[in-house]
């Protein structure tokens, strides 16, 4: 089993729906051009708003704050992995 799955933290039950939404929304994440190639951009607020409207999110401000925090953590971890892997080359 990969270490990431073996060491996977437990998710609070009240965040399971938000985690599923993040997974769905992350699939529509745009790519941006950088000096070193393409990189993942944050999930657009328009996509989050569309999700809220489509699925009837009752607390959009809280939902946006949670998704933004998850997205920032994801992008930071992704950047760290990329910088670590490129420094090994």
């Amino acid at each position: 089993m990969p270490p990431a799955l073996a060491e996977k933290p437990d998710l609070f039950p009240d965040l399971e729906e938000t985690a599923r939404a993040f997974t769905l929304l992350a699939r529509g994440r745009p790519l941006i051009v950088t000096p070193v190639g393409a990189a993942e951009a944050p999930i657009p607020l328009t996509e989050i708003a569309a999700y809220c409207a489509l699925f009837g999110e009752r607390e959009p401000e809280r939902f946006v704050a949670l998704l933004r925090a998850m997205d920032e953590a994801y992008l930071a971890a992704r950047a760290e992995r990329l910088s670590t892997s490129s420094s090994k080359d």
Side-chain angles (χ1 to χ4, degrees):
M1 174 179 295
L5 291 178
E7 299 168 13
K8 185 174 96 173
D10 291 331
L11 186 63
F12 293 114
D14 60 330
L15 293 178
E16 288 178 8
E17 185 176 325
T18 306
R20 281 192 296 275
F22 178 78
T23 301
L24 177 67
L25 288 165
R27 292 179 183 169
R29 180 188 303 282
L31 295 177
I32 56 174
V33 178
T34 72
V36 294
E40 293 175 303
I43 298 169
L45 186 56
T46 53
E47 293 296 316
I48 299 171
Y51 179 93
C52 288
L54 184 62
F55 292 100
E57 179 57 47
R58 289 174 278 176
E59 297 181 64
E61 288 109 15
R62 179 179 180 272
F63 185 75
V64 168
L66 288 170
L67 272 175
R68 287 288 194 210
M70 293 169 76
D71 204 26
E72 289 171 12
Y74 168 81
L75 291 171
R78 180 87 168 137
E80 177 66 29
R81 274 182 282 170
L82 289 175
S83 70
T84 302
S85 68
S86 66
S87 66
K88 291 179 182 179
D89 294 338

